[in-house]
Amino acid sequence: MDSQIRTDAGITVNGPRVAREDEVLTPEALDFIAALHRKFAPRRQEILQARQERRIRIANGADPGFLPETADVRDDFSWSVATLAPGLEDRRVEITGPCDRKMTINALNSGAKCWMADLEDSSTPNWHNVIDSQVNLRDAIERRIDFTSEQGKEYRLKGETLTDLPTIIVRPRGWHLAELHLRVDGLPVAGSLVDFGLYFFHNAHRLLELGRGPYFYLPKLESHLEARLWNDVFDTAQDLLGVPRGTIRATVLIETITAAFEMEEILYELRRHSSGLNAGRWDYIFSVIKNFRERGARFVLPDRDQVTMTAPFMRAYTELLVRTCHRRSASAIGGMAAFIPSRKDPEANAVALEKVRADKTREADDGFDGSWVAHPDLVPVAMEVFDETLGGVPNQIDRQREDVVPNAAALLDVAATPGAITEAGIRKNLEVGVRYIESWLRGVGAAAINNLMEDAATAEISRSQIWQWINAGARTDEGRTVTRDWVGQLLKEEYASLQRFDGDRFDDALSVFTECALGEDYPTFLTLPAYTRFLI
């Protein structure tokens, strides 16, 4: 049965009933979100329009670059970000994942220093997940969370207090996603404001009492003006709840090619609330493909598996991120290790764990203060690497990386990426894309596929590469031109090989993937048509 909540303040909630929703959707919390919406919805629309205009300029041949109008910010050595907040001084290993009950407990028991509690790419934004995640986060903070599996296994938190556990850093949805179940004055509220607003309203004061604070990861920013918008949201939210300005801390994921040219400006806009930047590698690759998808061979990448962190354009991006953060006293956090260990294949595990170790060693050697893993079994590997580098200090912010020189050409040197396009790579993109979307439509936004944790960002790479290769008339290393008809035939073959089950959403997933990867038009995010057509 649908639940519908109307208030005299013009707020409408209309969605399926979710257990304990009344604890989350209180009149006071809804009024708080409505206040944020009414103040910032026009600016959100402005930044979304600015994104579109910028993409058109790039498509027409205008490469992004360092902004001349903000050179004074980059050249001013007098400013730095806020001091590190309690629980954010040492971030050497951060585990990531959605906020369902079992994952919440496992993440907080993992031994990592921080947990990136994800309401974004690894979480399907159906109404149940939106509300249930808030319930679980609140229960975790109050240490009243537990879970019993169907097999009778019990899960409970370790330790005695919140400070015994990894520091919680919540990632709300990006600015592009609307929450169609919650409307103010007839208009949908931004999913980012719903996720941020509910968590901040219910937990900010309690977190401070317990020795932590309201900490956030900000996804998919494309410019410093978007960071400015978030900073103003933070100031308003803190004022409304009587929380001192500067209490919030935010880490920005640098996961778009345009944001890579504005890292210092992003830190500057958020400096009172900033705790650093993160190298969001998968979305970054997706952003490069998306922005340059119609620019021809110069920006065509090889198979997804061959686009590693050692590619020249990725090296330029990550090293610049460390330099930028450390010169402003901010933390630099590395990218995701997405491998999922298997207890059935120890040999494959050993090979994969060595790759994870090499990846984390490179990040630690480059100066990163910490890094991400997607599975609790990877925490010890990453921890050992950063322990060896950091020793008894919590971070290496004092390592300035003055040897790194900002270089616009290096950031755009996609053509230097080694590798080739193969039929096997095409087939893998088709398989991963359809299987992930199917999982997402069933409400599971973090999907283990072929021993890798796939989320919306990796699915975006899969479908975007297909679209770009077709549009560019790319050729495989076998000498075959990638055409829509050929890929369509391969998709039929891959689809026919999928293992079906009762209640699967493969037909809907095929429809979404076909539209987003093989259509003439290119949807900005695949989650937009998937959300409006199949989740509402």
Side-chain angles (χ1 to χ4, degrees):
M1 178 184 295
D2 283 359
S3 63
Q4 188 171 85
I5 304 172
R6 293 180 180 273
T7 75
D8 294 335
I11 304 166
T12 304
V13 179
N14 192 358
R17 295 287 305 183
V18 180
R20 299 174 61 187
E21 65 178 30
D22 292 344
E23 298 176 30
V24 174
L25 301 173
T26 64
E28 296 80 7
L30 292 173
D31 286 343
F32 177 73
I33 290 173
L36 296 178
H37 168 84
R38 290 183 175 121
K39 183 168 183 177
F40 295 109
R43 283 178 59 189
R44 171 178 174 259
Q45 292 301 322
E46 290 173 4
I47 68 166
L48 294 180
Q49 180 61 34
R51 285 182 179 183
Q52 182 61 26
E53 293 169 356
R54 196 173 196 177
R55 286 195 193 103
I56 292 172
R57 292 196 297 271
I58 293 173
N60 289 334
D63 288 345
F66 298 104
L67 302 179
E69 62 267 30
T70 56
D72 57 331
V73 171
R74 298 192 298 274
D75 295 339
D76 181 356
F77 296 100
S78 67
W79 65 270
S80 60
V81 303
T83 56
L84 298 176
L88 297 178
E89 305 93 341
D90 186 337
R91 302 172 62 178
R92 65 189 69 194
V93 180
E94 299 188 349
I95 192 168
T96 73
C99 303
D100 63 82
R101 213 156 180 86
K102 178 181 174 182
M103 292 286 287
T104 295
I105 298 170
N106 282 344
L108 292 174
N109 286 343
S110 68
K113 293 294 186 180
C114 299
W115 171 40
M116 192 279 283
D118 195 18
L119 307 179
E120 199 226 6
D121 271 0
S122 67
S123 179
T124 301
N126 60 31
W127 190 234
H128 172 271
N129 288 350
V130 169
I131 301 303
D132 188 58
S133 294
Q134 296 288 342
V135 170
N136 295 335
L137 286 166
R138 194 173 179 185
D139 282 356
I141 291 167
E142 297 293 346
R143 296 189 59 84
R144 62 189 181 204
I145 190 169
D146 55 33
F147 176 76
T148 302
S149 70
E150 293 181 356
Q151 295 74 30
K153 184 177 179 180
E154 295 185 351
Y155 297 79
R156 299 182 185 278
L157 290 180
K158 299 176 182 177
E160 299 296 330
T161 66
L162 186 67
T163 54
D164 295 328
L165 303 173
T167 301
I168 298 171
I169 311 175
V170 171
R171 180 165 73 170
R173 282 169 282 180
W175 284 122
H176 62 287
L177 284 166
E179 177 49 73
L180 299 183
H181 297 97
L182 177 54
R183 296 175 182 267
V184 173
D185 305 328
L187 298 176
V189 178
S192 52
L193 294 182
V194 173
D195 296 340
F196 161 78
L198 290 175
Y199 180 74
F200 184 79
F201 181 86
H202 289 297
N203 301 295
H205 287 289
R206 185 63 175 144
L207 284 164
L208 293 171
E209 292 172 0
L210 295 172
R212 288 292 181 257
Y215 305 144
F216 298 91
Y217 260 110
L218 304 181
K220 295 184 173 55
L221 269 63
E222 298 192 15
S223 75
H224 70 285
L225 297 181
E226 298 184 18
R228 182 181 298 174
L229 174 55
W230 266 117
N231 194 73
D232 291 345
V233 169
F234 293 161
D235 280 341
T236 298
Q238 289 166 136
D239 291 348
L240 287 172
L241 294 192
V243 174
R245 289 191 176 192
T247 299
I248 290 172
R249 289 292 190 275
T251 305
V252 173
L253 291 119
I254 300 299
E255 51 188 359
T256 65
I257 182 63
T258 52
F261 289 96
E262 301 181 35
M263 287 192 274
E264 291 213 57
E265 293 90 333
I266 287 169
L267 287 177
Y268 180 80
E269 295 294 343
L270 284 160
R271 60 195 181 281
R272 181 164 42 190
H273 298 110
S274 179
S275 56
L277 303 176
N278 171 281
R281 59 178 68 174
W282 307 123
D283 262 305
Y284 191 79
I285 296 170
F286 161 50
S287 172
V288 168
I289 300 169
K290 175 167 63 175
N291 278 283
F292 297 104
R293 64 186 183 271
E294 297 172 298
R295 292 282 297 275
R298 176 187 167 198
F299 293 102
V300 172
L301 286 166
D303 286 356
R304 176 185 129 179
D305 289 349
Q306 299 178 45
V307 185
T308 69
M309 298 306 293
T310 61
F313 80 103
M314 297 297 285
R315 291 290 291 155
Y317 144 67
T318 53
E319 290 196 305
L320 181 60
L321 188 148
V322 173
R323 172 191 184 271
T324 301
C325 286
H326 288 183
R327 74 199 302 253
R328 303 301 180 182
S329 301
S331 298
I333 307 300
M336 169 75 78
F339 171 64
I340 304 299
S342 170
R343 295 174 182 173
K344 299 178 181 179
D345 194 342
E347 291 185 6
N349 271 1
V351 172
L353 288 174
E354 279 307 305
K355 291 181 179 179
V356 171
R357 182 181 298 277
D359 180 54
K360 300 311 169 192
T361 299
R362 175 190 48 75
E363 289 182 323
D365 289 346
D366 283 347
F368 280 96
D369 303 293
S371 190
W372 278 10
V373 298
H375 193 280
D377 287 353
L378 298 182
V379 171
V381 178
M383 192 72 74
E384 181 179 342
V385 170
F386 276 91
D387 284 349
E388 291 173 356
T389 298
L390 297 178
V393 299
N395 55 64
Q396 49 185 337
I397 291 175
D398 59 349
R399 189 177 169 201
Q400 295 292 293
R401 289 306 308 269
E402 294 177 354
D403 58 304
V404 177
V405 178
N407 185 331
L411 289 170
L412 297 175
D413 191 13
V414 176
T417 306
I421 301 167
T422 68
E423 180 178 329
I426 295 171
R427 287 182 179 275
K428 184 170 184 178
N429 279 349
L430 299 175
E431 178 198 5
V432 169
V434 173
R435 287 181 63 185
Y436 177 78
I437 294 170
E438 190 279 330
S439 175
W440 190 91
L441 292 172
R442 284 188 290 106
V444 181
I449 301 175
N450 300 327
N451 289 334
L452 291 176
M453 185 64 78
E454 305 284 354
D455 67 6
T458 55
E460 291 283 20
I461 295 173
S462 295
R463 69 96 179 188
S464 296
Q465 283 199 311
I466 296 295
W467 195 99
Q468 185 188 34
W469 290 339
I470 292 171
N471 188 267
R475 294 176 68 83
T476 69
D477 68 345
E478 300 95 346
R480 183 158 188 172
T481 300
V482 183
T483 65
R484 184 169 283 104
D485 288 344
W486 181 45
V487 174
Q489 179 58 41
L490 297 180
L491 179 58
K492 289 179 182 178
E493 294 172 11
E494 291 299 315
Y495 189 73
S497 70
L498 294 171
Q499 289 188 320
R500 305 298 296 266
F501 54 89
D502 289 341
D504 74 42
R505 301 291 300 273
F506 279 117
D507 289 343
D508 294 336
L510 178 64
S511 175
V512 172
F513 185 84
T514 301
E515 174 185 348
C516 294
L518 274 69
E520 292 287 345
D521 296 326
Y522 177 92
T524 305
F525 293 95
L526 68 82
T527 48
L528 294 176
Y531 180 67
T532 55
R533 286 170 52 191
F534 295 111
L535 289 189
I536 299 302

